[in-house]
Amino acid sequence: MLQMLKGIKAKNHLESIKYFLRYLLQEKRVDAVLVPKRHPNGRSVSHALITDPLNTEGSDPLAPVQTVNAACILKELTKEPTDKKIAVVLRPCEVRAAIELIKIKQVSDENLYMIGYDCPGVYDAKEYMNIIEKEEDREKFTLKYIEAFLSDKKEEIRESCSYCMYFTADSADINMAWIGLNSSDLVIGVNTEKGKKLINDLETEEISDSSRRKEKIGMISTGRKQIQKDRIDNFLDLIQPCIRCYNCREVCPLCYCKECLLEPEKMGYSSVRYMNRAIKKKQIKMPDDTVLYHLTKINHMGYSCVSCGICEQACPMDIPLGMIYNVFSRKIQALFDYVPGRSRDEELPVTTFREEELSEVEDIQQPRGK
Amino acid sequence: MEKKLKIVGFLCNWCSYAGADLAGISRYQYPANIRIIRVPCSGRVNPLLILKCFQEGADGVLVSGCHPGECHYKEGNYYARRRMLMFKNLLDYFGIDKRRFNMSWVSASEGAKWADIVKKVVEDVMAASQEKTDL
């Protein structure tokens, strides 16, 4: 159920978020907030862990750029138990990644309050930095971008956002909503008990009519569904430029292994072996095993892939990794009717099983005892 | 067989390997195209192992474990079943015919079933497109 926070009448979406974060810090609801913040002269934003309410000024969580998937930062922040409470402002894909990480105990949500919001999508980071350099008022640019998204004007967003189907953060503790709602209020949805605690003495008013919001969300979803690809026919051609730089693994929130089996020293061969392989196969590509690398990666994290597209942004060779991983992972997830980050109670497909299922695996059908 | 196919079989130690052993003892005839690798449990088989087989030129791969509910480690083959299904559904994308990868359940007493399965797998792999992909 959506609720309107009554006390907050800010000028715009950005102000209302800042107000809310300041409130959380001032009232000691949390000890710190993690939020993307703009450096006065910087071209991009970077996450900041803020403890002083005054420092929330300049934070810009809505800036249309995703430099890192913030779930990676949460891994760092919660690897040891602390008693400090942290509120984090996350994009929906980051919320979903964080929930996947909570399931595999890489993030502890004990003292974590996730605040999500309706995400308008982002630019490619490099493109964003080029655009923003020419902008006088950088905060205004963010607001213009959100306005354009809310009034259905087409904005240039990066490809992996253009077919994102999960642009509302329904699984966060609190999600801020603005699609299809009156823009002057701060409307939030409280999804967990923890979220309730966070705002329990704020005056709220329930919003009874959210049909326009539902309609709008439906509209965007149908539009995006059409862009989404269901097949890749030339996977081997697409992946060919890969130089195995491991960027996509480093930035991926779900590649959580401390020790990766794709490390060069584990995956590589001795010099003699390389020669022998080259002789046997007449030629080998170097750096080798690039296809194997991606296929193993997708087999290892595909069931959890949230399609944030950060791998595509990190790829120096401009391989459309976001699209590839999206198509592959959706196929895997559909097998188990699993949506990563949908709910904390759903178990990962590979850590659970049902006794009666998937009989098609054994397709060599033979009656027993024949 | 006009063409010498090479099929790698990952057999779990407790059921399928014993089943294959029984097939041998009982003198069931089956094609000699299969190369058996004994693994502790079908749950041990990492998709990377299978990809490596294909990369190094195997024509087919067969993963075989205990029947569901009869795993020596109680549930290893249930996990294997999920993992292998995921893997199998991706094979198409990188130019490997689905028929080149098979999974089966063979218990220690099913020597005859093992012989049948190998025959069937060889037929399947034979029918599959033999286009080699450079992984």
Side-chain angles (χ1 to χ4, degrees):
Chain A
M1 180 58 88
L2 291 174
Q3 296 173 324
M4 189 173 84
L5 286 186
K6 276 177 106 181
I8 303 180
K9 280 262 184 258
K11 282 190 303 224
N12 51 49
H13 301 304
L14 204 50
E15 288 301 321
S16 56
I17 288 196
K18 279 191 227 168
Y19 184 100
F20 186 61
L21 294 180
R22 215 161 32 233
Y23 162 82
L24 291 178
L25 281 175
Q26 261 160 3
E27 298 292 313
K28 300 266 184 302
R29 282 297 151 89
V30 293
D31 299 294
V33 295
L34 180 75
V35 63
K37 191 174 173 182
R38 185 173 296 290
H39 186 265
N41 303 314
R43 288 192 296 157
S44 185
V45 292
S46 47
H47 282 82
L49 189 62
I50 302 170
T51 48
D52 184 339
L54 294 177
N55 279 32
T56 52
E57 199 44 55
S59 51
D60 192 355
L62 304 178
V65 60
Q66 186 181 31
T67 49
V68 290
N69 190 312
C72 296
I73 305 175
L74 298 184
K75 264 191 270 187
E76 229 15 59
L77 285 179
T78 63
K79 62 183 173 195
E80 292 108 24
T82 65
D83 52 353
K84 296 274 184 269
K85 293 186 173 67
I86 307 174
V88 283
V89 183
L90 299 171
R91 291 182 183 279
C93 52
E94 295 168 341
V95 173
R96 293 169 63 225
I99 288 178
E100 289 301 289
L101 290 171
I102 290 170
K103 287 182 199 170
I104 43 180
K105 306 206 162 47
Q106 298 300 309
V107 166
S108 147
D109 67 339
E110 210 187 327
N111 288 310
L112 213 58
Y113 295 87
M114 291 195 266
I115 302 170
Y117 56 85
D118 292 352
C119 175
V122 297
Y123 286 98
D124 182 76
K126 284 173 221 127
E127 204 182 318
Y128 174 77
M129 291 204 285
N130 287 335
I131 298 171
I132 209 74
E133 202 159 32
K134 296 171 207 118
E135 291 288 326
E136 280 291 305
D137 190 339
R138 291 171 182 181
E139 217 164 76
K140 215 175 191 169
F141 180 78
T142 304
L143 290 169
K144 240 171 42 198
Y145 184 82
I146 296 164
E147 278 314 313
F149 171 68
L150 292 177
S151 54
D152 302 323
K153 285 197 201 90
K154 193 150 168 51
E155 270 295 324
E156 277 299 310
I157 53 177
R158 74 174 180 204
E159 213 192 312
S160 38
C161 292
S162 71
Y163 49 72
C164 170
M165 302 296 288
Y166 304 96
F167 45 89
T168 56
D170 298 328
S171 40
D173 294 313
I174 286 182
N175 71 307
M176 302 190 172
W178 30 71
I179 295 174
L181 297 162
N182 186 355
S183 63
S184 63
D185 309 313
L186 179 60
V187 178
I188 61 166
V190 181
N191 306 314
T192 62
E193 282 302 312
K194 249 160 95 189
K196 223 179 250 168
K197 246 189 244 160
L198 214 53
I199 57 149
N200 57 6
D201 58 353
L202 279 173
E203 214 185 320
T204 57
E205 189 185 300
E206 270 187 18
I207 291 190
S208 48
D209 180 30
S210 54
S211 57
R212 217 182 116 223
R213 176 173 163 80
K214 276 197 193 108
E215 192 185 307
K216 221 120 179 236
I217 289 176
M219 213 176 72
I220 300 172
S221 303
T222 9
R224 291 185 172 185
K225 189 107 208 149
Q226 284 161 1
I227 313 174
Q228 222 168 34
K229 285 208 179 98
D230 285 322
R231 272 211 64 84
I232 306 173
D233 293 321
N234 53 345
F235 168 71
L236 293 171
D237 301 337
L238 287 176
I239 218 80
Q240 181 274 323
C242 177
I243 52 173
R244 223 173 88 193
C245 64
Y246 294 94
N247 273 8
C248 49
R249 186 194 70 184
E250 294 304 319
V251 294
C252 180
L254 293 154
C255 269
Y256 62 88
C257 297
K258 300 268 184 317
E259 205 174 316
C260 177
L261 112 151
L262 298 167
E263 282 302 331
E265 53 271 24
K266 295 210 173 58
M267 218 185 171
Y269 307 99
S270 65
S271 319
V272 179
R273 185 91 197 276
Y274 277 117
M275 265 321 284
N276 289 345
R277 288 180 79 221
I279 293 166
K280 187 176 140 205
K281 302 178 120 192
K282 300 202 174 65
Q283 63 168 22
I284 51 171
K285 177 190 177 234
M286 301 296 287
D288 67 329
D289 285 352
T290 49
V291 179
L292 211 63
Y293 165 79
H294 285 283
L295 292 178
T296 309
K297 185 168 182 314
I298 196 75
N299 264 302
H300 280 197
M301 46 61 75
Y303 47 84
S304 278
C305 178
V306 294
S307 291
C308 60
I310 203 84
C311 47
E312 183 163 328
Q313 183 174 289
C315 182
M317 302 305 282
D318 289 332
I319 301 173
L321 285 174
M323 186 271 284
I324 294 172
Y325 280 55
N326 180 268
V327 172
F328 280 16
S329 60
R330 264 190 302 132
K331 181 140 186 151
I332 294 174
Q333 288 155 13
L335 288 174
F336 306 105
D337 192 20
Y338 181 75
V339 177
R342 179 167 57 185
S343 150
R344 283 162 219 237
D345 308 325
E346 267 178 304
E347 274 188 271
L348 290 182
V350 290
T351 59
T352 181
F353 61 86
R354 274 192 293 267
E355 289 186 8
E356 301 296 324
E357 63 169 6
L358 313 176
S359 56
E360 70 268 27
V361 164
E362 194 199 27
D363 44 11
I364 324 162
Q365 288 298 337
Q366 297 275 332
R368 263 196 95 171
K370 188 187 154 186
Chain B
M1 298 285 141
E2 59 275 26
K3 186 174 173 287
K4 270 249 160 102
L5 292 182
K6 275 190 187 144
I7 296 166
V8 180
F10 290 97
L11 271 58
C12 95
N13 180 34
W14 305 100
C15 297
S16 296
Y17 193 83
D21 202 21
L22 182 67
I25 294 168
S26 322
R27 314 229 163 199
Y28 291 121
Q29 293 288 322
Y30 65 87
N33 306 74
I34 194 150
R35 306 289 188 275
I36 293 172
I37 297 172
R38 181 162 64 159
V39 288
C41 175
S42 53
R44 166 67 182 83
V45 182
N46 187 321
L48 181 64
L49 297 177
I50 302 165
L51 281 168
K52 269 273 178 206
C53 292
F54 283 125
Q55 187 196 35
E56 296 295 325
D59 298 290
V61 174
L62 169 69
V63 177
S64 190
C66 309
H67 283 273
E70 294 172 12
C71 178
H72 183 75
Y73 305 102
K74 290 197 174 69
E75 47 197 41
N77 54 0
Y78 288 124
Y79 295 118
R81 186 165 63 178
R82 288 198 154 206
R83 271 215 180 274
M84 291 308 136
L85 184 73
M86 266 164 52
F87 177 72
K88 191 164 185 159
N89 272 280
L90 294 180
L91 278 174
D92 272 357
Y93 288 107
F94 36 93
I96 293 174
D97 195 311
K98 263 189 184 176
R99 286 171 292 184
R100 289 172 67 189
F101 172 67
N102 285 291
M103 190 164 191
S104 68
W105 313 123
V106 174
S107 84
S109 62
E110 294 176 325
K113 184 182 177 184
W114 170 254
D116 284 345
I117 278 178
V118 177
K119 277 179 213 152
K120 185 83 194 328
V121 166
V122 171
E123 272 169 37
D124 267 9
V125 174
M126 202 58 121
S129 114
Q130 288 302 319
E131 209 180 306
K132 287 272 184 307
T133 26
D134 195 14
L135 289 180

